[in-house]
Amino acid sequence: MTDRPLTLMAVHAHPDDEATGTGGVLARYAAEGVRTVLVTCTDGGCGDGPGGVKPGEPGHDPAAVVRMRRQELEASCEVLKISDLETLDYADSGMTGWASNDAPGSFWRTPVEEGAARLAELMRHYRPDVVVTYDENGFYGHPDHIQAHRITMAAVEMSGLTPKVYWTTVPRSQMARFGEVMREFGADMPEPDPAEAAALAEIGLPDDEITTWVDTAAFSGQKYDALAAHASQGENIFFLRMGRERFGDMMGTETFVRVRDTTGAPTPEDDLFAGLR
């Protein structure tokens, strides 16, 4: 046995991603005395600027956006009681097909080995018992999410450590409900065309393929507040439109797929640290 606290490391692409997919587990495990480490890979410079100005529009200053989003990230970490924030500060690559995907210094253009080596150094420093990131499609195909997945999986191998590794996901049984709520709170949202509907239907996993269902209902208020801390991106954070009460009803469980394990803990499980305590 060791006096070292159990440690969770979440590897995310942008400021605000930590709250969307893992805000509940970060808050829950922090409350349980687990050391929570957040690694944010990009600077968020392709996000909205003040007043909702979009990248490429007059008045969008990426450097100012980076500074603003760093402040928001720190505020979110405070809400979630995250122990340690590490930023790799690669340039935000933007959405699929944007010219920024291939800009010098963008995360998407960074060799996987380079990013993985930096992350492996952090892993050897913090020695996480559990690592969480995205699946190989970055959950929904965002270039920076895919790259975060790639460097995380490579870094685990480089580090020589044996953490449990999880990918974030959502149960497909809930996707239809999410679609209904999105239309309810975004009345001007058109019905998706068949191609978009088919793509949405592929997000997440069938319920019986999800290994880990973590009850985070008691921390949904913190998760909501952490998302709200990213106020500059509020137009893009759909969940804030629900309000705190409806958000709590919808977002009380976070789900994952366990892809690496040495504990032998049976699945389905309700704790990322099953088999470790």
Side-chain angles (χ1 to χ4, degrees):
M1 298 295 290
T2 176
D3 292 334
R4 185 181 66 83
L6 288 171
T7 300
L8 166 65
M9 175 179 282
V11 183
H12 283 291
H14 311 98
D16 76 31
D17 290 332
E18 78 290 339
T20 305
T22 56
V25 292
L26 287 166
R28 170 180 163 164
Y29 289 119
E32 293 179 4
V34 171
R35 186 177 195 179
T36 51
V37 181
L38 170 64
V39 181
T40 302
C41 296
T42 79
D43 59 16
C46 287
D48 290 357
V53 62
K54 306 296 182 185
E57 292 181 349
H60 187 277
D61 178 355
V65 171
V66 167
R67 291 192 296 271
M68 176 175 60
R69 298 198 71 183
R70 176 56 186 257
Q71 293 173 351
E72 292 174 340
L73 178 60
E74 291 173 353
S76 172
C77 288
E78 185 173 347
V79 169
L80 297 173
K81 308 302 182 187
I82 289 171
S83 308
D84 301 272
L85 170 63
E86 298 283 353
T87 55
L88 300 184
D89 290 326
Y90 289 109
D92 189 342
S93 308
M95 301 298 287
T96 302
W98 288 14
S100 51
N101 293 175
D102 295 317
S106 74
F107 189 37
W108 182 241
R109 276 193 60 178
T110 299
V112 170
E113 295 77 11
E114 177 190 321
R118 293 181 62 195
L119 183 55
E121 184 177 350
L122 291 174
M123 288 181 177
R124 286 189 288 266
H125 174 73
Y126 288 106
R127 304 188 68 81
D129 301 283
V130 171
V131 173
V132 176
T133 192
Y134 316 100
D135 63 20
E136 63 268 31
N137 190 46
F139 184 63
Y140 69 98
H142 192 295
D144 287 331
H145 290 223
I146 293 171
Q147 189 75 328
H149 162 84
R150 290 173 176 171
I151 74 162
T152 301
M153 300 310 293
V156 169
E157 296 297 330
M158 283 184 186
S159 72
L161 303 174
T162 57
K164 297 176 78 177
V165 179
Y166 293 87
W167 297 343
T168 59
T169 192
V170 294
R172 291 207 179 130
S173 64
Q174 289 189 12
M175 288 305 295
R177 185 181 177 204
F178 278 131
E180 293 169 1
V181 173
M182 287 177 74
R183 285 187 287 276
E184 176 185 347
F185 287 93
D188 58 343
M189 293 176 63
E191 291 284 339
D193 64 32
E196 290 175 335
L200 286 172
E202 293 302 311
I203 292 177
L205 288 173
D207 292 33
D208 61 0
E209 294 182 22
I210 294 174
T211 64
T212 311
W213 305 69
V214 183
D215 180 359
T216 59
F219 304 93
S220 61
Q222 278 177 263
K223 180 170 179 170
Y224 184 89
D225 290 343
L227 280 168
H230 296 280
S232 69
Q233 309 306 304
E235 182 180 329
N236 305 316
I237 303 176
F238 158 76
F239 299 110
L240 293 175
R241 302 182 199 177
M242 298 183 190
R244 291 173 63 90
E245 183 175 352
R246 190 68 177 275
F247 181 89
D249 292 340
M250 289 285 297
M251 308 295 284
T253 302
E254 291 183 350
T255 49
F256 305 87
V257 176
R258 192 175 81 190
V259 295
R260 180 168 175 154
D261 174 61
T262 58
T263 69
T267 58
E269 60 188 3
D270 60 5
D271 180 7
L272 297 177
F273 292 88
L276 294 170
R277 56 181 179 180

